[in-house]
Amino acid sequence: MYFAALLARTEDGWKASDTELDDVETLSDLADLARESSPDEDTVLVLIEQEDAWFGVVRVDGEDDPRIYVSDAAAAARSSYGEILLTDELLGRDPDDGDDLDALDLDGTEDGESDEADEEADDGATGSADAVPHGPVGDPQILDDLGVSEKELLLMSTEAVTEIAESLGASETLETVR
């Protein structure tokens, strides 16, 4: 089960809204959704959790590039919502690696490879997930200036969304949309 919410920092404190991520396909879409929730270019946090598996925080400050933290990249990679957060940049991948070759429909015989190599590639269908590290990725200092230290964030459980909201003084606000 997933939960996603937006927490926007305003002059009056934190404002929460739950959000549907069904129409969000990219990190850019998610950042735009966050910016729309706060017309004054305030800090907006997108909090996503999959029960007992992983959580993610995306921080959008005005027009700055979003900052991301994911508690367990390998678990998130198995999730459609997690895939939105796990950008090539976040994972330290070159975005051009293999994109052109992936688009081609090669049977592997053009460069002398055997069909056996194709079978091995098919068996490794989770190869992209294997390339994703187990454990946290991203910016663990994403919430430092808001009162959640890197150490605290790294030690948070799968109840992290609630823990983060408590640390921000926004737990009651978040509960209104949970």
Side-chain angles (χ1 to χ4, degrees):
M1 180 160 160
Y2 290 95
F3 175 72
L6 298 172
L7 279 179
R9 187 178 186 182
T10 67
E11 291 177 2
D12 301 325
W14 291 96
K15 179 181 98 179
S17 56
D18 64 344
T19 187
E20 285 294 324
L21 299 179
D22 294 340
D23 296 330
V24 174
E25 295 181 8
T26 65
L27 180 59
S28 180
D29 293 344
L30 187 60
D32 290 344
L33 181 70
R35 287 183 186 104
E36 289 170 10
S37 74
S38 180
D40 295 331
E41 295 192 11
D42 295 316
T43 296
V44 179
L45 302 177
V46 181
L47 305 172
I48 302 171
E49 69 182 8
Q50 181 182 5
E51 200 171 280
D52 297 328
W54 66 276
F55 70 91
V57 179
V58 177
R59 179 177 177 160
V60 179
D61 293 302
E63 292 300 317
D64 292 346
D65 287 340
R67 294 168 54 194
I68 305 164
Y69 174 81
V70 176
S71 66
D72 186 338
R78 294 186 295 272
S79 155
S80 58
Y81 296 143
E83 288 178 351
I84 294 168
L85 306 181
L86 297 175
T87 63
D88 288 332
E89 182 180 345
L90 186 70
L91 296 173
R93 295 181 188 158
D94 183 355
D96 295 327
D97 280 354
D99 284 349
D100 294 334
L101 292 177
D102 288 342
L104 297 175
D105 187 21
L106 302 176
D107 66 5
T109 58
E110 287 78 8
D111 59 359
E113 288 184 33
S114 69
D115 289 339
E116 187 176 305
D118 284 345
E119 290 172 17
E120 289 175 17
D122 289 344
D123 290 344
T126 59
S128 60
D130 291 341
V132 175
H134 290 274
V137 295
D139 182 358
Q141 298 173 343
I142 192 170
L143 301 173
D144 273 0
D145 65 323
L146 300 174
V148 181
S149 72
E150 175 179 353
K151 182 179 179 182
E152 290 171 312
L153 189 62
L154 290 169
L155 293 175
M156 285 189 177
S157 69
T158 54
E159 296 292 321
V161 169
T162 301
E163 294 173 42
I164 290 168
E166 286 174 5
S167 296
L168 299 175
S171 57
E172 287 181 24
T173 303
L174 182 67
E175 286 305 313
T176 63
V177 297
R178 201 176 258 278

Tab-separated table of all heavy atoms in Angstrom, residues 19-54:
chain	number	residue	atom	x	y	z
A	19	THR	N	-2.042	13.415	-2.519
A	19	THR	CA	-1.880	13.540	-3.952
A	19	THR	C	-1.947	12.179	-4.615
A	19	THR	O	-1.517	11.181	-4.049
A	19	THR	CB	-0.546	14.239	-4.292
A	19	THR	OG1	-0.497	14.485	-5.679
A	19	THR	CG2	0.642	13.439	-3.871
A	20	GLU	N	-2.517	12.169	-5.774
A	20	GLU	CA	-2.551	10.973	-6.606
A	20	GLU	C	-1.380	11.062	-7.563
A	20	GLU	O	-1.185	12.067	-8.229
A	20	GLU	CB	-3.858	10.897	-7.391
A	20	GLU	CG	-5.043	10.494	-6.551
A	20	GLU	CD	-4.932	9.067	-6.039
A	20	GLU	OE1	-4.420	8.199	-6.765
A	20	GLU	OE2	-5.356	8.835	-4.897
A	21	LEU	N	-0.601	10.014	-7.620
A	21	LEU	CA	0.560	10.004	-8.497
A	21	LEU	C	0.309	9.209	-9.781
A	21	LEU	O	1.240	8.994	-10.551
A	21	LEU	CB	1.766	9.428	-7.751
A	21	LEU	CG	2.200	10.192	-6.512
A	21	LEU	CD1	3.391	9.508	-5.862
A	21	LEU	CD2	2.534	11.631	-6.843
A	22	ASP	N	-0.937	8.827	-10.015
A	22	ASP	CA	-1.241	8.005	-11.178
A	22	ASP	C	-0.901	8.695	-12.498
A	22	ASP	O	-0.519	8.038	-13.462
A	22	ASP	CB	-2.714	7.595	-11.187
A	22	ASP	CG	-3.042	6.666	-10.029
A	22	ASP	OD1	-2.110	6.053	-9.469
A	22	ASP	OD2	-4.234	6.563	-9.680
A	23	ASP	N	-1.028	10.015	-12.555
A	23	ASP	CA	-0.730	10.751	-13.790
A	23	ASP	C	0.700	11.267	-13.847
A	23	ASP	O	1.081	11.923	-14.807
A	23	ASP	CB	-1.698	11.926	-13.947
A	23	ASP	CG	-3.139	11.455	-14.121
A	23	ASP	OD1	-3.347	10.343	-14.669
A	23	ASP	OD2	-4.059	12.177	-13.707
A	24	VAL	N	1.476	10.999	-12.813
A	24	VAL	CA	2.865	11.450	-12.759
A	24	VAL	C	3.750	10.370	-13.364
A	24	VAL	O	3.740	9.225	-12.901
A	24	VAL	CB	3.289	11.751	-11.301
A	24	VAL	CG1	4.752	12.085	-11.220
A	24	VAL	CG2	2.432	12.866	-10.731
A	25	GLU	N	4.494	10.750	-14.397
A	25	GLU	CA	5.347	9.769	-15.065
A	25	GLU	C	6.831	10.036	-14.880
A	25	GLU	O	7.638	9.127	-15.011
A	25	GLU	CB	5.022	9.731	-16.558
A	25	GLU	CG	3.620	9.228	-16.839
A	25	GLU	CD	3.302	9.176	-18.317
A	25	GLU	OE1	4.211	9.380	-19.144
A	25	GLU	OE2	2.135	8.938	-18.643
A	26	THR	N	7.190	11.285	-14.583
A	26	THR	CA	8.603	11.640	-14.459
A	26	THR	C	8.824	12.498	-13.222
A	26	THR	O	7.872	13.040	-12.648
A	26	THR	CB	9.085	12.445	-15.688
A	26	THR	OG1	8.393	13.709	-15.716
A	26	THR	CG2	8.842	11.693	-16.991
A	27	LEU	N	10.084	12.645	-12.861
A	27	LEU	CA	10.433	13.525	-11.748
A	27	LEU	C	10.025	14.960	-12.062
A	27	LEU	O	9.565	15.685	-11.183
A	27	LEU	CB	11.932	13.438	-11.458
A	27	LEU	CG	12.433	14.300	-10.319
A	27	LEU	CD1	11.737	13.942	-9.011
A	27	LEU	CD2	13.935	14.169	-10.180
A	28	SER	N	10.147	15.347	-13.304
A	28	SER	CA	9.743	16.694	-13.717
A	28	SER	C	8.246	16.906	-13.477
A	28	SER	O	7.828	17.965	-12.998
A	28	SER	CB	10.091	16.910	-15.192
A	28	SER	OG	9.713	18.193	-15.604
A	29	ASP	N	7.429	15.905	-13.812
A	29	ASP	CA	5.984	15.981	-13.547
A	29	ASP	C	5.722	16.138	-12.055
A	29	ASP	O	4.865	16.922	-11.636
A	29	ASP	CB	5.264	14.715	-14.025
A	29	ASP	CG	5.270	14.529	-15.527
A	29	ASP	OD1	5.547	15.498	-16.264
A	29	ASP	OD2	5.002	13.384	-15.966
A	30	LEU	N	6.454	15.389	-11.246
A	30	LEU	CA	6.286	15.435	-9.800
A	30	LEU	C	6.679	16.807	-9.255
A	30	LEU	O	5.985	17.378	-8.415
A	30	LEU	CB	7.105	14.330	-9.134
A	30	LEU	CG	6.913	14.141	-7.635
A	30	LEU	CD1	5.463	13.795	-7.307
A	30	LEU	CD2	7.836	13.042	-7.132
A	31	ALA	N	7.776	17.354	-9.756
A	31	ALA	CA	8.218	18.688	-9.326
A	31	ALA	C	7.189	19.746	-9.722
A	31	ALA	O	6.896	20.654	-8.933
A	31	ALA	CB	9.586	19.009	-9.925
A	32	ASP	N	6.629	19.626	-10.915
A	32	ASP	CA	5.591	20.571	-11.345
A	32	ASP	C	4.369	20.487	-10.444
A	32	ASP	O	3.794	21.521	-10.066
A	32	ASP	CB	5.183	20.310	-12.795
A	32	ASP	CG	6.269	20.683	-13.795
A	32	ASP	OD1	7.212	21.426	-13.426
A	32	ASP	OD2	6.178	20.219	-14.956
A	33	LEU	N	3.968	19.269	-10.087
A	33	LEU	CA	2.839	19.074	-9.179
A	33	LEU	C	3.116	19.741	-7.833
A	33	LEU	O	2.250	20.410	-7.259
A	33	LEU	CB	2.583	17.576	-8.994
A	33	LEU	CG	1.422	17.175	-8.102
A	33	LEU	CD1	0.095	17.526	-8.775
A	33	LEU	CD2	1.469	15.676	-7.824
A	34	ALA	N	4.339	19.584	-7.334
A	34	ALA	CA	4.715	20.207	-6.057
A	34	ALA	C	4.675	21.726	-6.173
A	34	ALA	O	4.158	22.408	-5.280
A	34	ALA	CB	6.102	19.737	-5.637
A	35	ARG	N	5.214	22.263	-7.262
A	35	ARG	CA	5.224	23.723	-7.435
A	35	ARG	C	3.808	24.286	-7.520
A	35	ARG	O	3.530	25.372	-7.026
A	35	ARG	CB	6.022	24.089	-8.683
A	35	ARG	CG	7.509	23.907	-8.500
A	35	ARG	CD	8.300	24.348	-9.733
A	35	ARG	NE	9.696	24.028	-9.555
A	35	ARG	CZ	10.310	23.001	-10.142
A	35	ARG	NH1	9.653	22.218	-10.993
A	35	ARG	NH2	11.583	22.762	-9.901
A	36	GLU	N	2.902	23.562	-8.165
A	36	GLU	CA	1.515	24.002	-8.285
A	36	GLU	C	0.832	24.083	-6.925
A	36	GLU	O	-0.083	24.877	-6.735
A	36	GLU	CB	0.725	23.047	-9.189
A	36	GLU	CG	1.106	23.134	-10.641
A	36	GLU	CD	0.482	22.023	-11.477
A	36	GLU	OE1	-0.402	21.287	-10.975
A	36	GLU	OE2	0.908	21.866	-12.635
A	37	SER	N	1.275	23.269	-5.977
A	37	SER	CA	0.639	23.257	-4.657
A	37	SER	C	1.053	24.453	-3.808
A	37	SER	O	0.465	24.707	-2.770
A	37	SER	CB	0.960	21.962	-3.915
A	37	SER	OG	2.293	21.976	-3.457
A	38	SER	N	2.063	25.193	-4.249
A	38	SER	CA	2.542	26.341	-3.489
A	38	SER	C	2.912	27.474	-4.437
A	38	SER	O	4.060	27.582	-4.873
A	38	SER	CB	3.760	25.949	-2.657
A	38	SER	OG	4.214	27.059	-1.919
A	39	PRO	N	1.948	28.322	-4.753
A	39	PRO	CA	2.192	29.395	-5.728
A	39	PRO	C	3.232	30.425	-5.289
A	39	PRO	O	3.755	31.160	-6.114
A	39	PRO	CB	0.819	30.039	-5.903
A	39	PRO	CG	0.019	29.633	-4.716
A	39	PRO	CD	0.593	28.347	-4.220
A	40	ASP	N	3.559	30.468	-4.010
A	40	ASP	CA	4.524	31.457	-3.513
A	40	ASP	C	5.960	30.949	-3.541
A	40	ASP	O	6.834	31.540	-2.924
A	40	ASP	CB	4.165	31.866	-2.083
A	40	ASP	CG	2.834	32.585	-2.029
A	40	ASP	OD1	2.468	33.235	-3.020
A	40	ASP	OD2	2.164	32.476	-0.994
A	41	GLU	N	6.219	29.851	-4.249
A	41	GLU	CA	7.552	29.271	-4.351
A	41	GLU	C	8.129	28.869	-2.994
A	41	GLU	O	9.327	28.946	-2.752
A	41	GLU	CB	8.510	30.195	-5.106
A	41	GLU	CG	8.121	30.402	-6.551
A	41	GLU	CD	9.195	31.076	-7.381
A	41	GLU	OE1	10.340	31.215	-6.906
A	41	GLU	OE2	8.891	31.437	-8.517
A	42	ASP	N	7.241	28.467	-2.092
A	42	ASP	CA	7.684	27.972	-0.792
A	42	ASP	C	8.299	26.585	-0.969
A	42	ASP	O	8.171	25.950	-2.010
A	42	ASP	CB	6.488	27.855	0.161
A	42	ASP	CG	5.875	29.211	0.484
A	42	ASP	OD1	6.638	30.153	0.751
A	42	ASP	OD2	4.633	29.308	0.464
A	43	THR	N	8.936	26.118	0.077
A	43	THR	CA	9.464	24.755	0.093
A	43	THR	C	8.293	23.786	0.115
A	43	THR	O	7.369	23.933	0.909
A	43	THR	CB	10.341	24.537	1.336
A	43	THR	OG1	11.469	25.397	1.255
A	43	THR	CG2	10.792	23.096	1.457
A	44	VAL	N	8.351	22.801	-0.758
A	44	VAL	CA	7.331	21.749	-0.801
A	44	VAL	C	8.042	20.411	-0.688
A	44	VAL	O	9.037	20.167	-1.373
A	44	VAL	CB	6.504	21.798	-2.097
A	44	VAL	CG1	5.480	20.671	-2.125
A	44	VAL	CG2	5.819	23.147	-2.265
A	45	LEU	N	7.537	19.572	0.185
A	45	LEU	CA	8.051	18.217	0.336
A	45	LEU	C	7.014	17.248	-0.209
A	45	LEU	O	5.836	17.342	0.132
A	45	LEU	CB	8.309	17.890	1.804
A	45	LEU	CG	9.281	18.789	2.552
A	45	LEU	CD1	9.358	18.374	4.018
A	45	LEU	CD2	10.653	18.758	1.904
A	46	VAL	N	7.472	16.346	-1.053
A	46	VAL	CA	6.626	15.247	-1.504
A	46	VAL	C	7.092	14.042	-0.708
A	46	VAL	O	8.265	13.664	-0.775
A	46	VAL	CB	6.777	14.982	-3.013
A	46	VAL	CG1	5.856	13.843	-3.436
A	46	VAL	CG2	6.502	16.238	-3.824
A	47	LEU	N	6.202	13.482	0.074
A	47	LEU	CA	6.519	12.331	0.912
A	47	LEU	C	5.787	11.120	0.348
A	47	LEU	O	4.567	11.153	0.168
A	47	LEU	CB	6.088	12.583	2.353
A	47	LEU	CG	6.657	13.853	3.005
A	47	LEU	CD1	6.009	14.092	4.360
A	47	LEU	CD2	8.155	13.752	3.135
A	48	ILE	N	6.553	10.086	0.054
A	48	ILE	CA	5.980	8.865	-0.510
A	48	ILE	C	6.466	7.696	0.335
A	48	ILE	O	7.647	7.627	0.663
A	48	ILE	CB	6.441	8.656	-1.961
A	48	ILE	CG1	6.056	9.857	-2.832
A	48	ILE	CG2	5.855	7.362	-2.538
A	48	ILE	CD1	6.668	9.833	-4.217
A	49	GLU	N	5.546	6.798	0.650
A	49	GLU	CA	5.973	5.591	1.356
A	49	GLU	C	5.221	4.390	0.821
A	49	GLU	O	4.064	4.491	0.439
A	49	GLU	CB	5.776	5.708	2.866
A	49	GLU	CG	4.345	5.730	3.327
A	49	GLU	CD	4.198	5.891	4.828
A	49	GLU	OE1	5.197	6.141	5.541
A	49	GLU	OE2	3.065	5.772	5.306
A	50	GLN	N	5.930	3.286	0.739
A	50	GLN	CA	5.297	2.004	0.482
A	50	GLN	C	5.448	1.229	1.777
A	50	GLN	O	6.564	1.024	2.257
A	50	GLN	CB	5.946	1.244	-0.663
A	50	GLN	CG	5.250	-0.072	-0.907
A	50	GLN	CD	5.878	-0.907	-2.003
A	50	GLN	OE1	6.904	-0.570	-2.554
A	50	GLN	NE2	5.244	-2.025	-2.293
A	51	GLU	N	4.326	0.832	2.309
A	51	GLU	CA	4.281	0.188	3.613
A	51	GLU	C	5.328	-0.918	3.745
A	51	GLU	O	5.416	-1.817	2.913
A	51	GLU	CB	2.878	-0.389	3.818
A	51	GLU	CG	2.533	-0.657	5.240
A	51	GLU	CD	1.072	-1.017	5.349
A	51	GLU	OE1	0.237	-0.085	5.343
A	51	GLU	OE2	0.772	-2.216	5.426
A	52	ASP	N	6.129	-0.831	4.786
A	52	ASP	CA	7.137	-1.831	5.143
A	52	ASP	C	8.212	-2.080	4.080
A	52	ASP	O	8.875	-3.104	4.127
A	52	ASP	CB	6.469	-3.170	5.504
A	52	ASP	CG	5.575	-3.051	6.717
A	52	ASP	OD1	5.886	-2.228	7.604
A	52	ASP	OD2	4.552	-3.764	6.767
A	53	ALA	N	8.380	-1.162	3.129
A	53	ALA	CA	9.385	-1.409	2.093
A	53	ALA	C	10.359	-0.238	1.939
A	53	ALA	O	11.560	-0.421	2.053
A	53	ALA	CB	8.713	-1.712	0.762
A	54	TRP	N	9.853	0.956	1.663
A	54	TRP	CA	10.729	2.100	1.418
A	54	TRP	C	9.941	3.394	1.566
A	54	TRP	O	8.720	3.391	1.594
A	54	TRP	CB	11.354	2.021	0.020
A	54	TRP	CG	10.350	2.154	-1.101
A	54	TRP	CD1	9.584	1.141	-1.626
A	54	TRP	CD2	9.964	3.331	-1.788
A	54	TRP	NE1	8.757	1.634	-2.598
A	54	TRP	CE2	8.976	2.978	-2.728
A	54	TRP	CE3	10.357	4.664	-1.716
A	54	TRP	CZ2	8.369	3.904	-3.584
A	54	TRP	CZ3	9.767	5.586	-2.570
A	54	TRP	CH2	8.780	5.198	-3.490
